[in-house]
Amino acid sequence: MCFFRKFFLLLTALCLLVSCMVSYKLNGASIDYNTVKTIMIDPFANRAAYQWAPMTAMFNESISDLYVRQTKLKQVKSNGDLVISGEITGYDQINKSISADGFSSMIELKMTVKVRFVNNTNHKDDFERSFSAAREYNSKQQLSSVQEELVQQMIDEINDQIFNATVANW
């Protein structure tokens, strides 16, 4: 009886281990590297009405780095199997809440990016849509003192959304 119990436990553990190995991916990307080998990421222009100069370079560097770190795709300047392009379309501040004295107490900073994605190996995956992220900060703080950190957080969130929509098939 003890042999069957040990055998059953071993078989159960083996099944769990195999099922986890089949579905587990380190980065969430689900790319068929036999057909998709290259990616072209066009630089995103900043077309937002409100401008902060470093944001464009921060965004472009961050999105490129994300695909380098999380995929085996070779980045090319033209004719990529996958093509990502777009522009930063919004960067706005909005008063979120009013304090008892009638002044703004929290401000929301919001960033929106329009993305065009083309999968030259399977055009049914193509799309054009917008992604956005927002962060709040206390109105007693100057935007210049929190801007870089908040913008980087929004860029990271938006790029994760773009990555998931393009190669992770979420």
Side-chain angles (χ1 to χ4, degrees), residues 117-131:
F117 174 69
V118 177
N119 182 339
N120 287 314
T121 64
N122 186 0
H123 285 288
K124 74 175 181 65
D125 293 339
D126 296 358
F127 66 79
E128 182 172 330
R129 68 177 174 223
S130 293
F131 299 90

Side-chain angles (χ1 to χ4, degrees), residues 2-16:
C2 188
F3 171 75
F4 290 111
R5 187 173 171 190
K6 288 181 183 178
F7 178 75
F8 178 73
L9 287 174
L10 181 63
L11 185 61
T12 303
L14 184 61
C15 287
L16 286 173

Side-chain angles (χ1 to χ4, degrees), residues 95-141:
N95 290 331
K96 276 303 268 187
S97 61
I98 306 297
S99 63
D101 60 6
F103 293 102
S104 175
S105 62
M106 291 300 288
I107 299 173
E108 180 181 82
L109 192 60
K110 183 176 181 181
M111 181 178 176
T112 305
V113 178
K114 183 177 183 179
V115 175
R116 286 173 295 283
F117 174 69
V118 177
N119 182 339
N120 287 314
T121 64
N122 186 0
H123 285 288
K124 74 175 181 65
D125 293 339
D126 296 358
F127 66 79
E128 182 172 330
R129 68 177 174 223
S130 293
F131 299 90
S132 62
R135 293 293 184 273
E136 292 182 4
Y137 68 97
N138 190 310
S139 65
K140 290 182 170 68
Q141 297 175 294

Side-chain angles (χ1 to χ4, degrees), residues 2-164:
C2 188
F3 171 75
F4 290 111
R5 187 173 171 190
K6 288 181 183 178
F7 178 75
F8 178 73
L9 287 174
L10 181 63
L11 185 61
T12 303
L14 184 61
C15 287
L16 286 173
L17 180 64
V18 169
S19 68
C20 290
M21 288 173 33
V22 170
S23 64
Y24 184 72
K25 295 179 182 169
L26 291 175
N27 60 17
S30 57
I31 301 168
D32 180 0
Y33 289 108
N34 293 321
T35 56
V36 179
K37 298 181 184 327
T38 61
I39 187 167
M40 181 180 120
I41 302 174
D42 277 341
F44 282 59
N46 190 346
R47 305 223 189 290
Y50 177 66
Q51 299 274 321
W52 183 56
M55 183 169 57
T56 307
M58 289 169 66
F59 182 86
N60 286 315
E61 183 177 315
S62 178
I63 193 166
S64 181
D65 287 350
L66 179 64
Y67 284 87
V68 166
R69 283 191 326 268
Q70 304 237 356
T71 71
K72 294 188 249 176
L73 297 173
K74 179 182 178 190
Q75 289 197 19
V76 295
K77 300 229 183 253
S78 62
N79 301 322
D81 295 327
L82 305 179
V83 178
I84 298 173
S85 61
E87 56 269 344
I88 299 167
T89 57
Y91 183 61
D92 306 297
Q93 293 185 77
I94 304 159
N95 290 331
K96 276 303 268 187
S97 61
I98 306 297
S99 63
D101 60 6
F103 293 102
S104 175
S105 62
M106 291 300 288
I107 299 173
E108 180 181 82
L109 192 60
K110 183 176 181 181
M111 181 178 176
T112 305
V113 178
K114 183 177 183 179
V115 175
R116 286 173 295 283
F117 174 69
V118 177
N119 182 339
N120 287 314
T121 64
N122 186 0
H123 285 288
K124 74 175 181 65
D125 293 339
D126 296 358
F127 66 79
E128 182 172 330
R129 68 177 174 223
S130 293
F131 299 90
S132 62
R135 293 293 184 273
E136 292 182 4
Y137 68 97
N138 190 310
S139 65
K140 290 182 170 68
Q141 297 175 294
Q142 293 292 320
L143 175 60
S144 59
S145 69
V146 296
Q147 187 163 321
E148 184 172 355
E149 178 183 350
L150 297 178
V151 167
Q152 188 61 59
Q153 290 173 7
M154 290 187 296
I155 287 171
D156 291 343
E157 182 178 330
I158 290 170
N159 284 338
D160 283 344
Q161 293 172 30
I162 295 167
F163 184 86
N164 288 338

